[in-house]
Amino acid sequence: MKRITYLVLVIGMIVCATALNGCIHPDDAERASPPDGGAYLNSTNIDCMDCHTVQYFTIKDGSGRHAHLNCTFCHIQHGYQPDCRTCHPDTHGTGIQGCGICHPDPHAPELRINDSHINDSICQPCHLPQYDAIDKGTGRHSKLKCDLCHVQHGYLPSCEDCHGLFHGSDVTECDDCHDPHVPESIEFDYGNNSECARCHHTVIEETFAREHTKHADLSCYMCHPLHAETLMCIDCHPGHSTGMSMRDCRNCHRIGHVPTDILYSPDSAETKSGLCVDCHAKPFNTMYESESEHRYIECVECHPIHDTTIVCEVCHTMGPSHGTECVACHDSAHDTIP
């Protein structure tokens, strides 16, 4: 009797295992090989919903191309999981093998990767130019993670989200000048000054518009071949002396757009006469070689602003014995010895 009972139990277990075959797949079990013909060719997705609800709604609510497919297009036999490369052999090149690294859910491969343990290097194989640009960049974007801006694959944020309208409300197309991955590298139409004016209109208004010089008729790139780069004055203009450097030029010509504005400090402790000698050698030498007391004062004491001269009365008291016309006796203020 016991033998019959055991035999019935064994037969029952075999029947149950056979009935459940295909619904239970241990993780370490080998996936079934695709059969010669499909077992569910006439099935629709709704037939799979009772047991595969999560997958059903993932496909149904998806926005990618998989959302339009029937379950049996990929799963031609229950339990069979195809290789992505069967349909997508070289989507990202032959070097990409592990599709699941970036597309963890094959039912919605268009969805983002949401794994904080995965670093930006997973983006490199498919987005090599962008990855290299960020990796070699020197700006603040080079320190950011890809998904800080691209919170979902394919999503392109607006620069305004983080930076606002940095150059004002009339400049809204940031990518006209900036590569978003390397925004510090500015690219623009070198022959179109109006592009520069969009961001630098204040400088133009305060210089070229205020005083039209020969520089105002040049293209910006003549002096700025690259953004934020300025050529040296002596690249185009010979110095006032052979030993002049760019720093010497900027001592007087502080605004390159309006070089005719000669600016310097009127304080004799800061501006020494040696600064003037390159352009005004003749009056400097006359004063230096004279025996008058003027040789001991700095040029700025009489010329606090370029091309202006204070009147003699500021320093010298006029009296009846000397008269009021200084030049009647003193031919030159640089050599006051009659």
Side-chain angles (χ1 to χ4, degrees), residues 110-125:
E110 74 278 6
L111 295 182
R112 66 166 292 194
I113 306 158
N114 191 14
D115 187 345
S116 60
H117 298 291
I118 297 178
N119 59 39
D120 290 348
S121 62
I122 64 169
C123 308
Q124 180 183 12

Side-chain angles (χ1 to χ4, degrees), residues 27 32 59 62 91 107 185 190:
D27 292 338
I59 293 178
T91 300
H107 300 97
S185 177
Y190 293 101

Side-chain angles (χ1 to χ4, degrees), residues 122-155:
I122 64 169
C123 308
Q124 180 183 12
C126 302
H127 305 282
L128 185 59
Q130 294 82 1
Y131 181 89
D132 284 347
I134 292 178
D135 187 50
K136 296 176 182 178
T138 57
R140 294 180 181 179
H141 281 200
S142 64
K143 299 177 177 62
L144 303 180
K145 296 287 186 181
C146 297
D147 63 356
L148 183 72
C149 295
H150 306 288
V151 294
Q152 180 172 322
H153 188 268
Y155 172 71

Side-chain angles (χ1 to χ4, degrees), residues 41-177:
L41 295 182
N42 296 322
S43 298
T44 61
N45 288 1
I46 196 69
D47 296 326
C48 308
M49 184 180 71
D50 288 339
C51 297
H52 306 283
T53 306
V54 174
Q55 292 81 359
Y56 172 82
F57 281 105
T58 299
I59 293 178
K60 182 176 181 296
D61 298 334
S63 58
R65 294 182 180 179
H66 283 198
H68 305 291
L69 300 179
N70 195 303
C71 298
T72 58
F73 185 86
C74 295
H75 305 288
I76 56 178
Q77 178 177 322
H78 190 270
Y80 170 68
Q81 297 184 27
D83 188 329
C84 302
R85 290 169 294 175
T86 302
C87 293
H88 312 285
D90 297 317
T91 300
H92 299 298
T94 56
I96 307 300
Q97 301 296 326
C99 303
I101 296 176
C102 294
H103 307 285
D105 188 347
H107 300 97
E110 74 278 6
L111 295 182
R112 66 166 292 194
I113 306 158
N114 191 14
D115 187 345
S116 60
H117 298 291
I118 297 178
N119 59 39
D120 290 348
S121 62
I122 64 169
C123 308
Q124 180 183 12
C126 302
H127 305 282
L128 185 59
Q130 294 82 1
Y131 181 89
D132 284 347
I134 292 178
D135 187 50
K136 296 176 182 178
T138 57
R140 294 180 181 179
H141 281 200
S142 64
K143 299 177 177 62
L144 303 180
K145 296 287 186 181
C146 297
D147 63 356
L148 183 72
C149 295
H150 306 288
V151 294
Q152 180 172 322
H153 188 268
Y155 172 71
L156 301 175
S158 170
C159 303
E160 187 180 342
D161 293 344
C162 293
H163 304 286
L165 295 176
F166 191 83
H167 297 295
S169 58
D170 58 335
V171 183
T172 57
E173 300 298 328
C174 304
D175 56 359
D176 283 351
C177 297

